[in-house]
Amino acid sequence: MTRVFALVFFLQTVSFAQSQQKSPCSKPLGNVNRFAAVYYNETSLEALGKFGMVVLDPANYSDEEVAHLKSIGCIPIAYLNIAEVETYRSYFSLADTNFFVSPDPHWRNRYYADVCNSAWQSIILRDRVPELLSRGYCGLFLDLSDILQEYPHMRE
């Protein structure tokens, strides 16, 4: 539920900012009948364009591919893991081991991040979010926004 709320919040925020433009980003979410989440780039853009909205791993899609999806009326959403430091991400070098809470027991090469750490927040809010939105994505899918269930001490 938290993930859906975060997605809707960001999508609608961006949609409001772009409402003066003809863009799939300004489409009401109520008009989306089909969506897909694709974290690898093995599906053709034409196949993805049959969905009203797609969640994509931005590491696997170029700005041109994002623009193409928008040009055919599809709403592209960028996947962003806000509570894990993933060793294979381009921004991993910005991370400090002080961000790490513990290894993710379900995935290799991932560490839970301390979402209260101001330096980690800065990477997410000042680096990742603006970069992804500047690449043409209509919004963000925030993964692991429910980390507080696992680590309630971060609630403060």
Side-chain angles (χ1 to χ4, degrees):
M1 183 61 140
T2 304
R3 292 178 188 178
V4 171
F5 172 76
L7 170 64
V8 170
F9 174 76
F10 277 105
L11 183 61
Q12 293 302 315
T13 301
V14 173
S15 293
F16 177 77
Q18 297 178 350
S19 62
Q20 300 302 321
Q21 306 169 9
K22 287 270 189 188
S23 167
C25 296
S26 60
K27 287 183 184 176
L29 286 179
N31 292 347
V32 174
N33 295 319
R34 296 178 50 198
F35 74 93
V38 182
Y39 301 128
Y40 49 87
N41 191 350
E42 294 180 13
T43 306
S44 77
L45 293 181
E46 300 315 312
L48 291 177
K50 294 179 180 174
F51 294 94
M53 180 173 67
V54 291
V55 177
L56 305 173
D57 184 334
N60 297 326
Y61 292 87
S62 69
D63 296 356
E64 293 77 21
E65 290 171 315
V66 172
H68 178 73
L69 287 170
K70 287 170 69 174
S71 75
I72 58 177
C74 183
I75 301 170
I77 303 295
Y79 171 90
L80 177 62
N81 193 334
I82 62 168
E84 278 189 326
V85 182
E86 301 156 314
T87 61
Y88 51 87
R89 297 288 178 192
S90 62
Y91 54 92
F92 178 75
S93 63
L94 301 174
D96 184 311
T97 56
N98 293 327
F99 301 160
F100 301 172
V101 175
S102 70
D104 182 332
H106 308 289
W107 296 93
R108 292 180 312 151
N109 301 318
R110 295 180 184 203
Y111 300 88
Y112 290 129
D114 178 358
V115 296
C116 299
N117 183 296
S118 61
W120 178 245
Q121 291 173 1
S122 180
I123 289 172
I124 295 297
L125 297 174
R126 293 196 180 108
D127 177 50
R128 300 303 305 146
V129 169
E131 191 262 325
L132 294 171
L133 294 177
S134 74
R135 291 186 51 199
Y137 287 95
C138 295
L140 306 169
F141 175 86
L142 304 178
D143 198 8
L144 281 180
S145 59
D146 57 352
I147 194 167
L148 299 179
Q149 293 173 351
E150 185 86 22
Y151 294 97
H153 71 278
M154 292 187 210
R155 193 172 306 276
E156 295 176 19

